Amino acid sequence: MNLIVRNGLVYDPLNSIDGERMDIAISGGKIVEKVPEGSAEVIDASGMVVMPGGVDIHSHIAGSEVNTGRLLRPEDHVNDVEFKTAVTRSGVGYSVPSTFTTGYRYSRMGYTTVITPAMPPLEARHTHEELNDTPMIDKACFPLLGDWWFVLEHLRDGELKECASHVAWMLRATKGYAIKIVNPGGPEMWGFGRNVKSIYDQIPPFNITPRDIVRGLCKVNRILNLPHTIHVHTNNLGKPGNYSTTIDTLRCVRNLARDDRPVIHITHCQFSAFTGSDWMNMGSGADRIAKYINHHTHATIDMGQVVFADTTTMTADGPFQYGLYGLTGNKWVNHDVETETGAGIVPFRYRRTSYVHAMQWSIGLELALLIEDPWKVYLTTDHPNAAPFTTYPRIIAWLMSREAREKMIRRINRKARRKSLLRSIDREYGLYDVAIATRAGQVKALGLKQKGHLGVGADADVAIYRLDPRETDLSKNPELVRKAFEEAAYTIKDGVVVVKDGKVVKPVSGRTYWMDVETTSDFKATSELKQKFKDYWTVEYENYPIPEDYLLRSQRVMTKAGI
Amino acid sequence: MITLTPRYSFKVPVDAECISPDTFDGKRLEDIAKLSLWEGNRRRTLGELFTVESEPDINMESMRIRVVGDLKKVKRIGATMSCGEIVVEGSVGMNLGAEMKWGRIVVNGDADSWAGSAMRGGEIIVKGSAGDYLGAPYRGSTQGMSGGTIIVEKDAGNEVGCFMANGLIRIRGNVGQFAGIHMKGGIILVEGDIGERAGAEMTGGRVVVLGRVPSILPSFVVDEIRSSVRVGEERVQGPFYLFKGDVTEGWNGSLLVSVNSNPHLKFYKSLIV
């Protein structure tokens, strides 16, 4: 079917289009130069903003820990029930929504691609089953490899090539897209009830340090030519004074960068940007991290913005979650995934009146506003850790309007108000910057060539918002911005109108991207590896890989490795 | 006064949140009969399930509703109500008066589990027995009853006043296990006997027992003997052992147990310094 989006104000940063009035022609699910006038359905987008479909680089939408979170929180669902309609299925929210509801809600906000970033390899099958049931969006997942035994052993023995070959097999076996590292060494130590405190700590069973893991996997990433960098959740996350650990982590891979290309992505950086020595004198390290990022080209980050709401925290960082449980005294789940990794889940409420929570809110926005190059910092909430993804429109409004920030600053904890840097920042995002932070930048970091832009040949994922920057001053109308981004006027997925006026009109299923790395010699499982699977895993080596036909709509991404 | 009578005996649960003075107020009889509710997975109108009749009311100041008949399958009567009065002639299903803010519900029969769930104010009087989770919050939530009064003339089940933060629960009969579990404030007065593990994990509030207690949790520490205790307006005469606990959650909860009904606890007298 052919489609023309007429007279919209187009923001397409990857093609350097900044608010030009133009037509977008779509045919066969792709953007094309032009389509014959008569045969095409026309969408009149005059007075509206046209952007590529939204992309979320880090959002826990599927997997075993998300599902455990759903089980843990009946009270989270009871007040947020979605009824079945003629085209959509019923479901519940709020912070850990059902799979179908997740897809619908993203699509309503104009998002078309979402990455679930923490998949324990053993639970890959479960994760893909849930992703198959998440409609409307394209997906990918990152397997957790920072505490994967074989990786640690190879790195200990200095066998980089073997390690790379093993990671290539793992990506294929779990149908993963990139390398995720969570608190390198931490979950392994947590198996013995301990944690690592800096990137130089020894991990006794393997005799290596978190620094070795990050550097090793960063090199592996380059050998394999993966499109995304390593995706790192730093050590000491959520602890006062941890900004120095973050900068250490950034620094340790600096000499691995080539041609100004990023080699590391620090995710939900807000949680890794605290100063101070305890919760009383905890402060913002956003300026120091922003300064580092501004002066270097080898790193990208995403925000992990806190919004004051009742949410559910879940990470593969078991020791951190145990600490959170200690702070809140709330119910919690310690999810141990055999030898591979761990996870924890704690319900959490961010309060305006709490000094620490208010500071966290401020740190996220400070990061986004102090880092000068918008291509380096992306909008996320680490859904659902800092807030559910449905709060993105509010964050966009804060980024675009100093007035909206000022309004919230007046309501937060008084001590935090004094310490926050936000009042000294005048910068306001324009729609072009928003398009980078919510789509183009994320896609560039992910290396998905077909996504996040409206050039000829791209996938026809388009979001149209009822917003006219020429008629109204958006920085003075944050409410308008929020409403527009909450309910997209149209969302087009693969050339089909799936959302109209904030309502899902056509359910579609999305693709699942995964990496198939081509190596010169095939990965051969040694008898030692098979024996290890026999000894320590509940699933044997032969049953471990997931066949491609297990994925509802598999989309293989090929690269050629340097081995 | 508006009287509702079931047209037939219900086989599947009926979610009757609309039976509340707030929704009936200011509506004509025809409109009330058109209110929608769920019978199992079917959407129905109130008129299809109940006969709706109106009687002239002498006291027209507030809305009164009378529900007559077998209502064991009818859930959420009077949920979130904030005014008026509901009188139930017969036994009623789960979640009676859930999250109610004000007003009064009288049940001339039994109430099922989660009566007065997370209520914030008002009054519930059950002339028969109440089920489990009296005044407890929704599953998983930590926001329990935060105000109001529940009076049960006969017995109540397990986990009475779970996560209760304020208000008064008074039970004239016996109570099951875990009364006052996770309690944060307010008062539970049990005039009969109580089951095991009263006050487990409580961080505040009072549980007062006039009858027999099988045993006291090891995480409670005896403090003193009180001659009487205040419950709302009145003063209940003792003497009572005062236990503080739950010590695993701080020391701020109080468990008051009648000395005279519990001769087997006299060992604790020797621990009082």
Side-chain angles (χ1 to χ4, degrees):
Chain A
M1 200 185 69
N2 297 343
L3 204 65
I4 301 177
V5 180
R6 181 147 288 168
N7 279 334
L9 221 54
V10 177
Y11 290 86
D12 181 8
L14 278 170
N15 294 314
S16 313
I17 297 171
D18 182 5
E20 278 176 45
R21 183 196 283 271
M22 57 197 284
D23 297 349
I24 304 284
I26 295 164
S27 179
K30 298 276 178 199
I31 310 270
V32 292
E33 196 69 53
K34 57 162 73 162
V35 290
E37 283 286 312
S39 67
E41 188 189 321
V42 176
I43 291 175
D44 181 21
S46 45
M48 297 190 205
V49 164
V50 178
M51 289 187 186
V55 179
D56 194 343
I57 198 168
H58 192 107
S59 170
H60 301 260
I61 54 166
S64 58
E65 84 271 21
V66 179
N67 213 30
T68 313
R70 290 186 186 114
L71 289 174
L72 183 70
R73 301 222 54 199
E75 81 279 15
D76 180 60
H77 310 318
V78 69
N79 292 323
D80 188 4
V81 178
E82 290 218 9
F83 288 103
K84 175 177 147 180
T85 67
V87 289
T88 63
R89 294 176 50 152
S90 62
V92 289
Y94 161 76
S95 65
V96 268
S98 336
T99 52
F100 282 89
T101 310
T102 305
Y104 301 145
R105 287 190 177 176
Y106 260 117
S107 199
R108 272 180 222 154
M109 298 196 307
Y111 273 71
T112 51
T113 309
V114 180
I115 315 293
T116 187
M119 171 176 71
L122 189 72
E123 317 271 9
R125 207 169 282 264
H126 177 157
T127 309
H128 283 294
E129 280 170 6
E130 280 193 28
L131 288 181
N132 285 346
D133 270 349
T134 308
M136 319 298 284
I137 46 177
D138 288 342
K139 301 139 290 197
C141 46
F142 301 159
L144 293 158
L145 293 173
D147 283 87
W148 180 250
W149 276 12
F150 299 103
V151 165
L152 300 187
E153 278 173 8
H154 284 311
L155 292 179
R156 174 194 62 195
D157 301 339
E159 304 164 340
L160 218 52
K161 279 188 179 155
E162 286 79 356
C163 186
S165 164
H166 187 91
V167 168
W169 171 76
M170 275 299 291
L171 288 173
R172 205 176 310 126
T174 60
K175 300 287 173 278
Y177 186 79
I179 298 169
K180 173 74 185 285
I181 304 169
V182 167
N183 185 6
E188 178 57 37
M189 295 286 278
W190 181 234
F192 303 93
R194 285 180 291 165
N195 197 0
V196 284
K197 298 222 163 49
S198 81
I199 69 164
Y200 305 108
D201 278 10
Q202 287 281 324
I203 302 155
F206 295 95
N207 250 351
I208 55 173
T209 61
R211 183 176 182 274
D212 299 335
I213 301 176
V214 173
R215 271 183 71 85
L217 283 172
C218 193
K219 287 176 194 162
V220 163
N221 204 71
R222 199 173 67 221
I223 293 173
L224 295 179
N225 267 327
L226 296 181
H228 186 35
T229 60
I230 48 170
H231 198 92
V232 182
H233 157 136
T234 59
N235 295 115
N236 280 338
L237 185 117
K239 294 209 186 86
N242 61 7
Y243 83 95
S244 59
T245 314
T246 311
I247 289 183
D248 284 348
T249 312
L250 287 166
R251 218 169 251 157
C252 84
V253 292
R254 188 179 152 196
N255 64 349
L256 299 176
R258 300 274 183 280
D259 335 315
D260 288 352
R261 284 192 33 208
V263 289
I264 189 168
H265 179 84
I266 301 284
T267 190
H268 38 74
C269 196
Q270 171 268 125
F271 289 110
S272 311
F274 303 165
T275 56
S277 55
D278 60 37
W279 291 117
M280 297 300 287
N281 64 11
M282 168 264 195
S284 165
D287 51 338
R288 297 175 215 205
I289 287 182
K291 197 171 152 197
Y292 187 89
I293 303 267
N294 281 336
H295 285 93
H296 297 84
T297 52
H298 68 278
T300 56
I301 67 161
D302 65 74
M303 287 161 73
Q305 174 62 33
V306 160
V307 177
F308 303 111
D310 191 8
T311 188
T312 313
T313 64
M314 52 179 70
T315 66
D317 191 348
F320 163 66
Q321 293 288 355
Y322 175 69
L324 257 193
Y325 153 73
L327 273 179
T328 60
N330 223 330
K331 56 185 172 182
W332 79 298
V333 173
N334 181 31
H335 189 131
D336 177 42
V337 186
E338 298 186 15
T339 62
E340 302 185 341
T341 176
I345 304 158
V346 185
F348 201 84
R349 181 185 279 275
Y350 291 98
R351 293 172 200 278
R352 275 187 291 118
T353 48
S354 153
Y355 167 64
V356 173
H357 303 174
M359 279 314 284
Q360 285 186 280
W361 171 80
S362 173
I363 290 170
L365 291 173
E366 285 165 18
L367 280 171
L369 294 164
L370 288 172
I371 294 174
E372 285 150 14
D373 183 359
W375 292 96
K376 287 180 181 168
V377 53
Y378 315 129
L379 192 156
T380 66
T381 58
D382 187 17
H383 162 83
N385 285 312
F389 64 82
T390 43
T391 56
Y392 288 175
R394 293 176 66 184
I395 301 169
I396 294 174
W398 283 326
L399 290 174
M400 289 187 73
S401 161
R402 192 173 190 280
E403 199 179 293
R405 296 201 291 269
E406 182 59 35
K407 212 168 148 189
M408 183 50 99
I409 291 171
R410 279 200 293 266
R411 296 172 65 209
I412 62 173
N413 176 286
R414 201 184 298 162
K415 190 173 152 202
R417 211 182 304 163
R418 271 206 314 274
K419 280 199 157 192
S420 164
L421 304 175
L422 273 183
R423 276 191 160 151
S424 63
I425 304 172
D426 288 328
R427 184 175 169 203
E428 284 170 342
Y429 271 46
L431 281 172
Y432 191 72
D433 300 327
V434 168
I436 297 171
T438 56
R439 318 148 136 80
Q442 317 217 10
V443 134
K444 199 176 168 199
L446 286 168
L448 284 167
K449 299 234 159 40
Q450 305 293 310
K451 299 275 165 204
H453 69 106
L454 298 172
V456 170
D459 283 348
D461 294 352
V462 185
I464 305 174
Y465 299 106
R466 221 175 278 285
L467 204 61
D468 197 342
R470 291 165 312 173
E471 290 209 340
T472 43
D473 183 358
L474 297 182
S475 66
K476 296 279 177 289
N477 285 298
E479 270 306 281
L480 203 74
V481 173
R482 184 172 68 80
K483 287 215 178 84
F485 280 100
E486 251 164 27
E487 294 193 342
Y490 294 91
T491 306
I492 299 167
K493 176 88 187 66
D494 291 325
V496 180
V497 176
V498 291
V499 167
K500 202 174 166 185
D501 295 326
K503 298 236 160 29
V504 176
V505 291
K506 189 172 168 56
V508 292
S509 62
R511 305 179 192 86
T512 306
Y513 287 90
W514 60 279
M515 285 310 303
D516 191 0
V517 185
E518 199 184 317
T519 47
T520 43
S521 57
D522 279 349
F523 173 75
K524 282 198 189 65
T526 57
S527 58
E528 192 194 355
L529 183 135
K530 287 185 178 172
Q531 189 57 41
K532 279 235 169 81
F533 267 94
K534 261 203 175 66
D535 290 347
Y536 298 116
W537 268 259
T538 47
V539 179
E540 294 222 3
Y541 169 77
E542 284 75 11
N543 297 327
Y544 205 79
I546 297 167
E548 192 180 351
D549 56 13
Y550 209 77
L551 276 53
L552 192 67
R553 274 181 76 192
S554 155
Q555 181 76 42
R556 180 200 303 243
V557 182
M558 303 279 287
T559 64
K560 218 170 156 58
I563 43 163
Chain B
M1 178 148 66
I2 288 169
T3 306
L4 305 173
T5 321
R7 289 189 190 271
Y8 51 92
S9 81
F10 304 122
K11 294 274 186 303
V12 292
V14 175
D15 198 327
E17 198 172 337
C18 66
I19 303 182
S20 145
D22 294 60
T23 41
F24 283 16
D25 202 11
K27 287 201 175 63
R28 287 175 304 155
L29 219 53
E30 308 84 281
D31 294 336
I32 290 173
K34 277 185 203 140
L35 287 169
S36 86
L37 73 176
W38 291 88
E39 184 188 19
N41 58 3
R42 302 268 156 78
R43 208 184 256 281
R44 306 264 196 219
T45 63
L46 194 65
E48 285 175 323
L49 303 188
F50 294 88
T51 57
V52 185
E53 290 155 349
S54 170
E55 293 166 31
D57 210 335
I58 310 149
N59 177 14
M60 287 299 284
E61 275 173 18
S62 61
M63 174 58 102
R64 292 183 72 202
I65 302 172
R66 218 161 74 94
V67 198
V68 185
D70 178 17
L71 302 157
K72 286 206 180 79
K73 291 273 181 197
V74 185
K75 300 200 286 187
R76 297 183 71 80
I77 289 181
T80 69
M81 68 187 263
S82 60
C83 61
E85 184 176 354
I86 299 178
V87 180
V88 182
E89 308 285 354
S91 293
V92 71
M94 293 203 291
N95 294 79
L96 173 83
E99 293 172 52
M100 70 185 275
K101 298 178 197 80
W102 202 247
R104 195 172 132 98
I105 300 178
V106 181
V107 182
N108 292 312
D110 299 340
D112 208 337
S113 301
W114 275 287
S117 164
M119 73 188 272
R120 290 183 228 161
E123 190 178 18
I124 296 179
I125 298 167
V126 181
K127 294 282 166 63
S129 299
D132 300 328
Y133 306 104
L134 186 67
Y138 185 78
R139 273 263 188 257
S141 172
T142 55
Q143 313 301 316
M145 174 169 171
S146 57
T149 311
I150 302 178
I151 296 170
V152 180
E153 298 287 347
K154 286 185 184 160
D155 304 340
N158 299 330
E159 300 201 21
V160 167
C162 174
F163 282 111
M164 178 170 178
N166 209 342
L168 170 67
I169 297 180
R170 182 175 194 142
I171 294 144
R172 301 212 193 271
N174 306 329
V175 160
Q177 297 186 352
F178 287 108
I181 184 170
H182 296 298
M183 189 169 170
K184 294 180 273 191
I187 301 174
I188 299 175
L189 171 62
V190 182
E191 296 185 13
D193 303 343
I194 199 165
E196 295 273 7
R197 299 173 197 197
E201 293 207 322
M202 73 193 288
T203 55
R206 278 183 199 169
V207 180
V208 184
V209 191
L210 303 186
R212 187 184 151 85
V213 178
S215 68
I216 303 292
L217 275 176
S219 52
F220 277 79
V221 176
V222 69
D223 194 31
E224 57 174 330
I225 290 182
R226 289 260 174 97
S227 60
S228 68
V229 59
R230 262 177 86 93
V231 175
E233 307 277 283
E234 72 180 290
R235 188 162 274 282
V236 181
Q237 289 304 319
F240 296 102
Y241 295 106
L242 170 62
F243 294 93
K244 294 303 261 184
D246 186 323
V247 299
T248 57
E249 301 284 328
W251 298 69
N252 295 326
S254 307
L255 177 59
L256 291 129
V257 177
S258 162
V259 174
N260 298 337
S261 320
N262 293 286
H264 62 292
L265 296 180
K266 66 174 185 292
F267 159 75
Y268 283 102
K269 268 188 192 160
S270 66
L271 296 180
I272 298 171
V273 274

